[in-house]
Amino acid sequence: MDYLIALLLGFVEGLTEYIPVSSTGHLLLLSHFLNFSTTGKTFEVLIQLGAVLALLSLYFNRLWNVVITLPSNPQSRGFVISILVAFLPALVLGVLLHDFIKGVLFESPQTICYALIIGGILLWLVDRFAPTPTHNDAMRIDVKTALAIGLFQCLAMIPGMSRSGSTLIGAMLMKVEKKAAAEFSFFLAMPTMAGAFAYDIYKTYDQMDFSDVGLIATGFIAAFVTALFVVRAVLDFVSKHGYGVFALWRLAVGITGLILLHYGVVFR
């Protein structure tokens, strides 16, 4: 049963990490309702690396081209600067608030459900009423716009708000076209998730239990494979349909979660 749950959670991580529905919120709620936990959240921390590596593998050629042209190409330098500027607010707040986020917010399923609902309403409103886009290339986002997106990303410190959802809301409000907003969110995910992963390991290493290597490997592989397919599909989907369906998804999960919590439902 534990391996089936690990497979399910890995699939959910890969499915939800790069769409605006909050992978962390989904993992924490599922873990709660399935009565599944590991010491120091070892499993939840490590399987996220699978999703990071999937994204890196998909964008490796483009990112490598940026790296090798940094000395000679102003556009490459501008792209790197914009990503670093967007990453900075989350880096600072993540370090300052890490213990509160993990010790308080992560332990409140009700908070996650309310964040899913509120974030879903905001996403629907912005998707429907966002200003006319003026930025159509994720690799040409100016520093001012990048900083604003980075500040919005900080909303994801609240589990359930969604890192990708927060950045997409910020990007669309800053007049970034929907597909370009999704791609910029993908690029920003790499340093943000890698940084969060590294700091989590640093802060909680002494609490972690690596004895369940098989469970961790199962979830890691499931997250990696699922994320490969999701990243490829999501850009085409949002170009044609926008983000409204994800807003409804968030509302459905948040409301269902509150109902189950009210009645004390546990499936295991």
Side-chain angles (χ1 to χ4, degrees), residues 8 15 23 51 59-60 82 89 93 110 113 145 154 177-178 188 191 200 218 223 225 229:
L8 172 64
L15 175 65
S23 63
Y59 281 97
F60 180 80
S82 292
L93 280 183
Q110 289 85 357
C113 291
T145 301
C154 293
E177 183 267 334
K178 291 177 182 179
L188 182 55
D200 259 346
T218 299
V225 173
F229 289 100

Side-chain angles (χ1 to χ4, degrees), residues 43-56:
F43 179 87
E44 291 86 346
V45 170
L46 293 181
I47 67 168
Q48 290 183 4
L49 187 58
V52 176
L53 292 179
L55 188 61
L56 181 60

Side-chain angles (χ1 to χ4, degrees), residues 6 9 13 27-28 31 36-50 102 106-107 197 200-201 203-217 219-220:
L9 292 176
E13 164 63 23
L27 285 181
L28 292 175
S31 295
F36 178 88
S37 64
T38 56
T39 304
K41 301 290 184 183
T42 307
F43 179 87
E44 291 86 346
V45 170
L46 293 181
I47 67 168
Q48 290 183 4
L49 187 58
K102 286 301 180 72
F106 270 45
E107 301 300 325
F197 171 81
D200 259 346
I201 294 291
K203 290 287 288 184
T204 61
Y205 185 82
D206 59 338
Q207 307 169 32
M208 288 186 163
D209 180 6
F210 295 92
S211 60
D212 293 324
V213 175
L215 291 177
I216 294 168
F220 181 96

Side-chain angles (χ1 to χ4, degrees), residues 8 18 31 49 62 68 82 109 113 124 132 137 141 186 189 197-199 212 218 227 229-230 233-235 243 251 260:
L8 172 64
Y18 300 115
S31 295
L49 187 58
R62 288 176 67 178
I68 62 176
S82 292
C113 291
W124 183 83
T132 303
D137 187 342
I141 301 295
F186 291 163
F197 171 81
Y199 195 67
D212 293 324
T218 299
F229 289 100
V230 170
V234 72
L235 291 176
Y243 295 101
L251 291 173
L260 295 177

Side-chain angles (χ1 to χ4, degrees), residues 39 54 61 73 80 152 236 241 250 259:
T39 304
N61 289 335
N73 190 333
V80 171
F152 269 91
D236 288 337
H241 306 289
R250 295 175 63 105
I259 293 171

